[in-house]
Amino acid sequence: MRLMFSSGAGYSHIKPMLPLAVAARDAGHDVVFVTGPEAVRYPEEAGLYTVAIGAPPGGSGDNGMWQRARAEMETLSRDERMSHLMAHYMVGMGAAARLDDVLAFVRGWKPDLVVSSLAERAAVMAAAIVDVPYAMHAIGPPKAATTMAEAWRVAGELVRRHGLDRLPPRDDVPYLDIWPAGLRPDGVAWEYPTRWALRPEDALPVTAERPAVLDGLPFARTVYLTLGTTHNTRPGVLETMVSALRDEEVNLVVTIGRDGDRERFGSRPEHVRIEHFVPQQQLLPQVDAVVCHAGAATVLGALGHGVPLVVSPLATDQFDIADQVADAHVGVLAEPTEDDLRLAVRALGADPSLRESAATMAGEIAAMAPPATVLDRLVAYARES
């Protein structure tokens, strides 16, 4: 079977899809991974045939676009911001710019099934136009139907330009959900109601060496601080977090990204270690808490290891994720101020029930369906379709 995986160029969007794509390749299927030209190395490093579609990043033009988006969303509510971002930037600009090229590729390569990242709607529209079945692959928590309604209106306008009167219904489209049920709120009408649980493989514990960065640390408790791969260069944010915790009686390990500048943090005591990169699957089994921006991958990684969190959201769906972490009693929500972060880390350390809840969530994540099982269901779905 010919399976096409499609994602935007963000590493945090590509990485969750790789285990299923690799499982499909290993099962003997013909697999292609389609992404932006600046990101082809990620699927290629996993041994996947990869095709670049779309223009490379536009430098100052891209910066101006996101500055305009932030300005437009300043007066909107949290829910309105997410809806606006998905409809008018992810679909109305990003997917619209890629649609012709993705459509040409789908027509030429002729996949039997398209698996699209939640944030990559060009492949969904192309599949609909060519009448190829598709599945939606989660990259974080599911989205409410109301949040995505405007995005579907914009997508409908785009496909009509290609002769398709309307997009097909989504009720039976498989949504490959990497988000554990214990984090999802009740009573929400989801954009994709047919949920197939898919275990987030990168969140699972593995046998790994204890990282050297932990050697010689003086305190009993260790906190891992990260802003993931997208937000670690935001001016002042990590600096505030480090300043909040540097005088606490906890070891603090901070990752700042491969291009991060250690010097921006000034001098620091021996129990504060600032690194460009430490593999999370090496570090997470050794820490007592994770302090982060409520990014999906970081939250899943921590909970997959049974580690509770302090979450201080910065953008997009991180605010929803932070609420879900707090509601599930697997972490503490904090404002991005020194006082609030400091108090949150202390509160987490004083409440062992948070770690117990995180351990329960780790068991739920481990019990989700592995990629090979979901792949078999997808192949059957494609054949039936």
Side-chain angles (χ1 to χ4, degrees):
M1 182 168 286
R2 294 169 72 80
L3 303 178
M4 171 182 156
F5 291 77
S6 184
S7 171
Y11 179 61
S12 61
H13 294 186
I14 293 170
K15 188 178 180 183
M17 302 182 72
L18 294 179
L20 183 61
V22 168
R25 180 205 62 196
D26 291 349
H29 297 289
D30 197 357
V31 174
V32 63
F33 204 108
V34 174
T35 188
E38 68 273 34
V40 293
R41 66 186 185 275
Y42 302 127
E44 284 180 344
E45 287 170 356
L48 296 168
Y49 169 51
T50 306
V51 172
I53 288 183
S60 59
D62 283 351
N63 292 336
M65 179 186 74
W66 291 114
Q67 288 172 2
R68 185 169 66 254
R70 283 193 288 270
E72 290 174 359
M73 292 189 288
E74 279 182 359
T75 60
L76 302 179
S77 70
R78 192 170 85 185
D79 290 343
E80 289 170 339
R81 287 175 188 170
M82 193 67 195
S83 176
H84 184 82
L85 179 68
M86 293 299 297
H88 300 291
Y89 286 86
M90 294 297 185
V91 177
M93 295 182 70
R98 288 162 51 88
L99 179 54
D100 287 349
D101 290 339
V102 173
L103 182 57
F105 181 80
V106 170
R107 283 175 167 152
W109 200 73
K110 296 180 172 59
D112 300 299
L113 178 71
V114 171
V115 181
S116 178
S117 157
L118 181 74
E120 206 297 274
R121 301 300 170 114
V124 171
M125 291 185 282
I129 292 166
V130 180
D131 195 22
V132 174
Y134 80 95
M136 186 62 84
H137 197 300
I139 56 175
K143 301 294 178 284
T146 52
T147 299
M148 300 304 298
E150 178 67 5
W152 282 103
R153 186 193 65 78
V154 174
E157 293 176 354
L158 291 170
V159 299
R160 279 193 288 275
R161 300 174 191 173
H162 291 272
L164 184 66
D165 288 339
R166 61 167 59 185
L167 286 157
R170 313 186 287 279
D171 291 351
D172 297 325
V173 173
Y175 176 79
L176 312 181
D177 194 357
I178 63 173
W179 208 243
L183 284 179
R184 289 200 317 274
D186 296 327
V188 178
W190 299 110
E191 177 192 17
Y192 284 92
T194 300
R195 171 186 172 268
W196 293 5
L198 171 61
R199 190 169 64 199
E201 295 296 292
D202 289 335
L204 301 180
V206 298
T207 301
E209 292 185 5
R210 184 178 185 272
V213 67
L214 300 176
D215 293 346
L217 289 171
F219 297 118
R221 294 179 63 235
T222 299
V223 172
Y224 171 41
L225 169 57
T226 178
L227 294 183
T229 59
T230 302
H231 298 281
N232 52 32
T233 58
R234 287 184 62 157
V237 180
L238 263 177
E239 292 90 334
T240 296
M241 291 177 157
V242 171
S243 179
L245 302 178
R246 59 175 290 145
D247 295 326
E248 297 294 289
E249 290 189 357
V250 295
N251 307 312
L252 183 62
V253 178
V254 187
T255 53
I256 61 174
R258 297 186 187 277
D259 299 323
D261 179 14
R262 282 193 182 101
E263 299 307 313
R264 73 195 231 220
F265 299 95
S267 62
R268 49 200 176 269
E270 175 60 20
H271 66 275
V272 177
R273 306 283 172 87
I274 296 180
E275 300 292 322
H276 291 290
F277 173 76
V278 181
Q280 285 196 5
Q281 287 179 311
Q282 290 183 18
L283 189 56
L284 287 170
Q286 312 293 335
V287 304
D288 301 279
V290 171
V291 178
C292 71
H293 58 310
T298 305
V299 167
L300 285 175
L303 295 178
H305 289 76
V307 179
L309 299 120
V310 170
V311 284
S312 186
L314 299 173
T316 60
D317 61 357
Q318 294 163 14
F319 296 93
D320 294 333
I321 294 173
D323 286 343
Q324 292 169 20
V325 165
D327 290 345
H329 196 64
V330 293
V332 179
L333 177 60
E335 294 294 326
T337 65
E338 289 194 25
D339 286 346
D340 217 43
L341 288 162
R342 192 179 300 116
L343 290 172
V345 169
R346 291 175 185 174
L348 189 149
D351 186 353
S353 69
L354 288 162
R355 191 167 190 95
E356 292 169 4
S357 296
T360 299
M361 192 70 71
E364 180 183 330
I365 291 170
M368 293 167 73
T373 299
V374 174
L375 175 65
D376 289 343
R377 294 184 70 186
L378 281 174
V379 169
Y381 166 76
R383 287 174 176 154
E384 291 168 2
S385 299

